[in-house]
Amino acid sequence: MTAPLPAQAAPPAARPWYVSALLAVVAVTLLLLGAWGVARLKSPHPFYGMAYPAATAATGFQGEVAGGQRYTFTPGQGRVTALFFGFTHCPNICPLTLSYLSKVRAALPPEDQKRFDIVLVSVDPARDTPQDLNDYVRYFGAGRGVRVPEPALGQLARAYGVAYQRAEVKGAAYQINHTTATYLIDAQGHLRVLWDYTQLPQLDRVRADVQHVLETR
Amino acid sequence: MTRSMLLGAALLALVACRPAPQTAGHPAGHTGHSQNEAGTPSSVLSVHDARVVAVPPSVGDTSVFGTLHNAGPAPLRLVGVQTDAASHGMLMVTQTDPAGLTGMQDTPALTVPAGGDLTLSDTGDHLMLMGLRAPLQEGQTLTLTLTDDAGGTHTFDAPVVKP
Ligand SMILES: [Cu+2]
């Protein structure tokens, strides 16, 4: 009584075979599209930078910014942050990092720009005043320069895998040799990707990473 | 990676500053910026895409980037740079140590290979101007003079640009 009906027993007039075939094709297509969509949302976007393992918490910090104000960085809170470490007596890598990141920001849609911050933490707190940092960051782009005094700076640097070291230069003021990565922190406060300095000139690919992180909540 | 990017940048710089046809018979690769002390077009050295990094008034030193081309048959060893705009100039190399720390160090000489280029960039060799005498203005042009180890001088102009 529940034996499957022979194929030819299907109501002949109700639905021609080709409509069934078409519906089947549509159903399969929708299924594939849905699976692709889910996979796209779930699977890692092929990051241009180096991706972090899922749910790597970013470390917050406190410091001073221009105007004698205290600044607290709490990762996440709905905002996406590009964080890097540098110093204002750095005449090549640090200004260019700011310049590249500012160009990436300017290439985002306006509503995304409002959720994307650029933050420079000085690795030269002995020389960089909050005002110097502010002037420097504003000059080369848009963002915030923060002075974190020692020993908090050392702890913060360790948390991000940042290294810095004073270097004497004959005939000039000292320099700080430092690692040059930029860290992207998502709206949930997770570290998502880092770019090596040499990757930053590829503005479109950096922007695609930022856009992906802005879109995946 | 870095090397191929530098090479790319060098090629771009070369393409970008292929001299506009000016005087007939002007040798390719010479932009006419290079002069000897007497101010006449001279040396084997030409400078392409030269630029001084604009810095805010709070910063007293800056970098110079560009491409140096040596049209001569022998390597050209540069031992100094100077400009009226700064108390002194320095030749620099950028180095990254095994721990990943990047920084610059002064070097006694930068060599432009015979018939080849030396790219001056943020990630490699470059010139530094220390102790700027006045805040730089974007769009301003500085005149710089390189000295080689035989005492020859090579003068060129470089605009001040934001990176
Ligand atoms: Cu730097």
Side-chain angles (χ1 to χ4, degrees):
Chain A
M1 118 188 229
T2 55
L5 293 165
Q8 58 268 46
R15 189 189 282 167
W17 69 270
Y18 55 86
V19 173
S20 299
L22 195 67
L23 284 174
V25 167
V26 167
V28 167
T29 306
L30 284 175
L31 194 71
L32 287 177
L33 270 175
W36 175 78
V38 168
R40 209 183 124 84
L41 281 178
K42 291 209 149 187
S43 85
H45 147 93
F47 275 118
Y48 170 53
M50 195 196 86
Y52 278 89
T56 303
T59 300
F61 59 87
Q62 290 203 334
E64 305 154 55
V65 291
Q69 287 186 308
R70 194 118 198 98
Y71 170 77
T72 302
F73 176 62
T74 307
Q77 299 192 314
R79 305 190 63 75
V80 171
T81 305
L83 174 68
F84 75 104
F85 297 76
F87 67 112
T88 69
H89 285 71
C90 168
N92 35 24
I93 286 171
C94 302
L96 281 142
T97 300
L98 275 166
S99 166
Y100 292 133
L101 293 175
S102 298
K103 284 173 183 159
V104 164
R105 188 174 185 276
L108 294 170
E111 61 275 19
D112 285 345
Q113 290 185 28
K114 291 187 197 131
R115 293 177 52 227
F116 179 58
D117 299 322
I118 299 168
V119 177
L120 161 65
V121 171
S122 172
V123 290
D124 190 11
R127 260 189 318 196
D128 285 340
T129 67
Q131 190 61 51
D132 287 344
L133 284 160
N134 184 67
D135 293 350
Y136 187 83
V137 170
R138 293 289 155 86
Y139 188 80
F140 292 109
R144 198 183 275 283
V146 187
R147 180 181 180 274
V148 177
E150 297 287 8
L153 176 64
Q155 288 158 17
L156 174 63
R158 267 194 296 285
Y160 280 90
V162 167
Y164 55 98
Q165 190 171 54
R166 182 175 161 145
E168 305 305 325
V169 177
K170 212 173 14 179
Y174 71 85
Q175 288 279 307
I176 307 273
N177 294 351
H178 60 99
T179 51
T180 57
T182 298
Y183 304 86
L184 189 65
I185 298 156
D186 72 12
Q188 286 68 49
H190 294 136
L191 267 167
R192 296 294 295 278
V193 64
L194 75 77
W195 302 288
D196 181 66
Y197 172 70
T198 56
Q199 292 184 295
L200 293 180
Q202 302 278 328
L203 297 177
D204 281 346
R205 302 180 73 181
V206 174
R207 185 190 47 76
D209 283 358
V210 173
Q211 201 117 39
H212 174 77
V213 166
L214 278 160
E215 281 161 11
T216 50
R217 293 173 181 252
Chain B
M1 171 95 181
T2 308
R3 182 171 302 173
S4 66
M5 288 183 51
L6 284 179
L7 186 66
L11 286 173
L12 270 181
L14 279 176
V15 169
C17 39
R18 191 145 288 224
Q22 310 156 343
T23 332
H26 197 70
H30 282 242
T31 53
H33 289 304
S34 185
Q35 296 179 332
N36 66 12
E37 231 162 346
T40 53
S42 76
S43 75
V44 295
L45 189 75
S46 55
V47 183
H48 303 263
D49 196 25
R51 60 217 187 268
V52 178
V53 176
V55 290
S58 55
V59 178
D61 310 329
T62 192
S63 313
V64 183
F65 305 140
T67 303
L68 307 180
H69 179 73
N70 175 9
L76 188 64
R77 232 174 91 88
L78 301 170
V79 295
V81 61
Q82 66 99 25
T83 172
D84 291 345
S87 73
H88 66 290
M90 296 179 72
L91 310 177
M92 290 286 185
V93 292
T94 306
Q95 289 166 335
T96 301
D97 73 11
L101 279 79
T102 301
M104 59 180 182
Q105 269 305 322
D106 56 302
T107 184
L110 292 174
T111 301
V112 191
D117 290 336
L118 175 70
T119 301
L120 304 175
S121 77
D122 52 318
T123 51
D125 302 336
H126 59 276
L127 314 176
M128 289 291 303
L129 306 179
M130 317 308 281
L132 294 168
R133 298 194 199 280
L136 295 179
Q137 307 294 326
E138 252 189 293
Q140 171 189 1
T141 297
L142 302 190
T143 299
L144 294 93
T145 302
L146 290 162
T147 309
D148 63 44
D149 62 355
T153 57
H154 314 268
T155 298
F156 64 99
D157 289 340
V160 174
V161 293
K162 271 196 193 183

